[in-house]
Each structure stands twice: as C-alpha cells, then as structure tokens.
Amino acid sequence: MTTTDFAAMTGLELMRWVQTERPTDIPSIGRLLGMRFDEVDHGRIVISLDTRPDFANPLGTVHGGIAATLLDSAMGCAVHTTLPASTGYTTLELKVNYIRATRTNGQTLTAEGTVIHVGRRTATAEGKVLDEQGKLIAHATTTCLIL
C-alpha cells in the first residue's frame, strides 16, 4: 500500500499524482474500469478507457452506466483540481444525455470534464464522452457539494 499523504495535497496535486503514478494498489472505480488520466489541468480533466465485453447491456452495446461513470469521474475530478488540500467533494446532481450507443470491442472512449463555477459550498461542471472517431456518445452536467 502507498504511504503518500493525500490530505496534504491540493486537488490538482492529487490528480497529477494519480496521472503519473497510476496506482494499482488502491481500490477505485478507475482501477475497476481501466480508466486512464490522459490530461490533468486546473479545472479540466481528460479520462479514457477501452470498452470490453464486460461493459455490455442486454442489447450488446456499452451500458449507459459506463458513460455516466466516465462523466461523473471526469467532471468531479475537474472540480477536485480547483480545491485546496484537505477539502473534499461529492456529487449532488448528475444529468446525463445519451446520444448514441457504442460497441464493446475495445474502442477507446474519452471523457472531458470542465469546471463551470466553484463557490464556497457548491461547484458545477460539464462533460462529454467521445468515441475514437470523435463522435459524441454522451454529455452531462453536474453539481458537486464542497465538503
């Protein structure tokens, strides 16, 4: 297990640590789904994953929960990059619009989350998921509670 003091890191420092260290010994939804932190900036995150048969819904395409999880992660982590050390957040609201289905055959899906506003108690962000051809799969907005 890692001995890194996460509480001493700002949100941006923590997200950059995750991007560079790619920890495999810490249980997380990112590890479970195979998420990669491709870009980490103040107020903006880009996360990708490769689809697989385990992501299938009963119709054989990628379950909408995968896109929702990608969006929740990208938007929430984008908010996290704006927060000081020892400050947490949680999703209060998530609104997802699904545009098209995608296959479970190893396609790379890329989610971008961008902060819209950060206040004292809440923050808002928007996000989108694109397939390998740059086609929009889903887009969303979120409101996060700052703890």
Side-chain angles (χ1 to χ4, degrees):
M1 202 64 152
T2 184
T3 58
T4 303
D5 184 5
F6 300 120
M9 294 180 172
T10 67
L12 182 59
E13 290 168 341
L14 178 58
M15 291 297 99
R16 286 187 173 156
W17 180 86
V18 170
Q19 180 187 30
T20 58
E21 296 298 319
R22 296 177 160 252
T24 58
D25 60 340
I26 301 171
S28 70
I29 191 69
R31 182 180 82 172
L32 180 67
L33 296 181
M35 291 182 190
R36 299 176 296 272
F37 282 70
D38 300 325
E39 297 178 38
V40 176
D41 298 304
H42 186 267
R44 182 177 170 274
I45 294 276
V46 176
I47 299 173
S48 63
L49 60 70
D50 298 326
T51 65
R52 58 183 192 247
D54 287 337
F55 294 172
N57 62 25
L59 299 174
T61 59
V62 172
H63 188 281
I66 299 298
T69 301
L70 258 175
L71 286 160
D72 188 41
S73 297
M75 293 183 300
C77 288
V79 166
H80 199 174
T81 65
T82 68
L83 301 178
S86 297
T87 303
Y89 68 96
T90 189
T91 302
L92 277 177
E93 180 267 341
L94 175 67
K95 168 65 171 95
V96 180
N97 293 283
Y98 297 98
I99 306 302
R100 66 177 38 90
T102 190
R103 297 183 311 263
T104 62
N105 63 350
Q107 279 198 62
T108 299
L109 298 181
T110 302
E112 178 180 359
T114 306
V115 168
I116 297 170
H117 170 77
V118 178
R120 288 182 297 129
R121 299 297 297 156
T122 61
T124 58
E126 61 188 2
K128 59 185 175 182
V129 175
L130 305 176
D131 69 10
E132 291 176 344
Q133 291 75 41
K135 290 184 179 178
L136 186 64
I137 301 300
H139 60 95
T141 57
T142 191
T143 302
C144 295
L145 175 66
I146 299 172
L147 307 170

